[in-house]
Amino acid sequence: MKGFATILLLFIGQFSFAQSRWLIGPELGVTISKVGNNDTFVNNFTARNKFAPRVGAAIAYNLSSFASIDAGIHFAMKGYKINNDTLAQNPSVSRNISTIEIPLGLSFRQTINGESFVTEKFGMVGAYTLGSDSTTTGNVSGDNPSFRIGERITNAFVPMFYLGVKIGGSTSSKNRYEFGATYTQSLAQSAALDVQYGGSLAKRFPLNYRGGYLAISFTYFFNTSNLKTEKSDYFID
């Protein structure tokens, strides 16, 4: 995984500043995630949305005025939040799971008015989970939680598919900005969860965490032709 990221960065460094079709810039956003919709909960336990940050660098190569190849590298925090609705205090177990994600896909733009546009995006993502292979989190710290969740990473690397819609525009210098939503669906299980509750935490039920999420994000692309340095007047050919 580290080797792939190194190759990607070298590729950017070699080509991005030489081609006006290349754009690169920061992407900032938030993820909204939860456990799988098909999981069965016992009475009084429910899944809630988990909010977490997502940041990274986005890369685009313009195939034409309306189509681009998209890539990048992102640090995405996502996870789950489980509630015991019978508890008046500390009703939740909330967990952030950190991942490094490398997307590759296509986008298509339709002009709205002048330099404004709507763009549809789709493609694949390789997601690698960081941190421990297993952990246990209680609804309170210490030795006496009302319930707790044991988490075991089943697949550290998970392939994912994404689909998104964004609105944006272009500046006079051909930089580009986009704001919108992207849904990322995992194609494999990421972690197995074991919810333990009741007296002496003797009762339990399983949950499935796949790692999919909805991302709301803002991206600003710099046209790399604007980043070229002019030849200094102090040097003579």
Side-chain angles (χ1 to χ4, degrees), residues 65-164:
S65 60
F66 61 86
S68 299
I69 297 175
D70 296 331
I73 183 167
H74 301 95
F75 172 76
M77 295 186 74
K78 48 195 180 180
Y80 52 86
K81 183 178 181 180
I82 307 299
N83 259 40
N84 183 339
D85 298 327
T86 64
L87 299 178
Q89 296 182 331
N90 303 310
S92 302
V93 169
S94 182
R95 268 278 293 162
N96 279 331
I97 297 177
S98 301
T99 58
I100 296 294
E101 298 182 348
I102 298 179
L104 180 63
L106 294 171
S107 61
F108 297 95
R109 295 179 297 279
Q110 295 85 45
T111 300
I112 301 175
N113 182 21
E115 298 297 327
S116 300
F117 59 82
V118 173
T119 182
E120 301 85 28
K121 296 174 176 284
F122 65 92
M124 299 296 295
V125 179
Y128 182 79
T129 301
L130 305 174
S132 175
D133 290 337
S134 62
T135 186
T136 300
T137 307
N139 67 317
V140 295
S141 60
D143 298 328
N144 297 301
S146 300
F147 76 103
R148 66 187 182 187
I149 299 177
E151 173 192 312
R152 178 175 58 86
I153 300 299
T154 52
N155 291 291
F157 178 81
V158 174
M160 309 179 81
F161 172 83
Y162 73 87
L163 183 66

Side-chain angles (χ1 to χ4, degrees), residues 1-15:
M1 190 71 180
K2 292 181 179 179
F4 183 85
T6 301
I7 293 171
L8 178 64
L9 292 174
L10 290 174
F11 180 77
I12 296 168
Q14 181 176 358
F15 293 105

Side-chain angles (χ1 to χ4, degrees), residues 16 95 126 142 163 180 195 200 215 225:
S16 64
R95 268 278 293 162
L163 183 66
V195 183
S200 301
S225 63

Side-chain angles (χ1 to χ4, degrees), residues 11-38:
F11 180 77
I12 296 168
Q14 181 176 358
F15 293 105
S16 64
F17 296 100
Q19 303 291 332
S20 62
R21 289 179 176 234
W22 288 94
L23 299 96
I24 185 170
E27 183 169 324
L28 305 173
V30 61
T31 66
I32 307 170
S33 56
K34 62 192 304 184
V35 295
N37 294 327
N38 296 325

Side-chain angles (χ1 to χ4, degrees), residues 16 21 39 59 75 78 89 91 98 108 127 144 176 201 203 213 217 220 228 232:
S16 64
R21 289 179 176 234
D39 284 325
I59 307 162
F75 172 76
K78 48 195 180 180
Q89 296 182 331
S98 301
F108 297 95
N144 297 301
R176 193 160 71 214
L201 302 176
K203 298 180 180 180
Y213 61 89
S217 61
Y220 192 91
K228 296 177 183 178
S232 172

